[in-house]
Amino acid sequence: MNKDTLTDKHEVFYNDSGETLAQVAQRGGRCPIPGDIQGRLKCGNCGEVSEKWQCLRLMDSAPLKGGRGSATMVQKCKLCCRENSVDILSQTIKPYNAEDSEKFKTIVEFECRGLEPVDFQPQGGFVAEGAESGTPFNDINLLEKDWNDYDEKTKESVGIYEVTHKFVKC
C-alpha cells in the first residue's frame, strides 16, 4: 500500500477534575480547545518527532501539493522532506461539561496525512462557567495543567485540576 494515500483520524481525549464549573470551552464558543492547538507531531514516513511545539489554528487553511485541496497545516518533514498535513475536523469539536469531569471525552478529531499527533499542550484561551452562578471565567491558561479562582456569587472556589489527554487512532 502506498503511504502517500494513507489518511488516519486521531481523536484527542481530554480529562480533568473540576470544581463547581459547568463547562470548559474556547473563548467565545462551546469548544474545549482554544483557537490555537499546540502539539507535537511525528512523521509517519521516517518517525521524526518535531522538536518544537507545532501550532494548529482552527481557521488556518494551506493548499496541499498538486491542488488536492487544503488542510489546517501542511509541513515538510525536516528529516525525509516528505510533505505531510493535518486537518482539524471542526464538526467534531465538543464541549467538556461538568458531568464529564474525571472521565476521558473526545473533544476534537484530526485527519492526518503522513503525521501522527504525539503530544498536546493546553495553553491560554480557555473559558469556563460557574455551575451554580453562571459566572464567566475568561482567559484561563492551562499550561500548568491546573487553574483555580473564586466565584464571588456563590462564595466558592472553582478550578480545573489534573488536565490530561490521550490520542486514539480512529
Side-chain angles (χ1 to χ4, degrees):
M1 186 177 270
N2 183 349
K3 282 188 177 182
D4 289 334
T5 61
L6 289 180
T7 301
D8 293 328
K9 284 188 182 176
H10 290 83
E11 297 177 329
V12 178
F13 282 81
Y14 172 93
N15 181 21
D16 74 26
S17 58
E19 182 176 37
T20 64
L21 292 173
Q23 180 172 275
V24 177
Q26 176 188 3
R27 183 183 2 228
R30 299 222 171 260
C31 170
I33 56 174
D36 294 352
I37 301 169
Q38 300 289 325
R40 287 208 169 106
L41 304 167
K42 179 171 82 172
C43 177
N45 188 52
C46 68
E48 177 75 3
V49 176
S50 56
E51 292 176 21
K52 296 181 181 179
W53 292 99
Q54 302 290 312
C55 183
L56 302 174
R57 291 184 178 92
L58 185 59
M59 303 313 286
D60 282 358
S61 181
L64 294 170
K65 188 176 174 181
R68 299 174 297 161
S70 63
T72 304
M73 184 187 77
V74 178
Q75 74 174 22
K76 191 178 261 191
C77 177
K78 289 182 180 181
L79 189 62
C80 70
C81 297
R82 179 175 168 184
E83 183 178 275
N84 301 308
S85 65
V86 175
D87 204 21
I88 301 171
L89 303 176
S90 60
Q91 68 276 15
T92 66
I93 296 171
K94 300 177 186 107
Y96 191 83
N97 300 310
E99 61 269 10
D100 302 319
S101 186
E102 299 188 27
K103 294 183 239 169
F104 277 104
K105 178 182 178 180
T106 301
I107 59 169
V108 66
E109 291 181 22
F110 300 108
E111 185 174 271
C112 303
R113 291 187 180 96
L115 288 171
E116 178 182 342
V118 293
D119 203 358
F120 168 69
Q121 184 180 44
Q123 294 193 351
F126 288 84
V127 297
E129 179 182 297
E132 302 290 321
S133 66
T135 302
F137 297 92
N138 299 307
D139 295 320
I140 296 171
N141 188 330
L142 296 175
L143 185 58
E144 299 297 322
K145 312 283 195 251
D146 288 320
W147 166 87
N148 62 6
D149 205 332
Y150 187 75
D151 190 333
E152 294 290 337
K153 290 181 184 174
T154 62
K155 309 262 189 263
E156 293 182 325
S157 175
V158 295
I160 301 169
Y161 309 106
E162 301 172 20
V163 173
T164 57
H165 72 279
K166 65 181 178 180
F167 295 103
V168 175
K169 194 172 181 178
C170 54

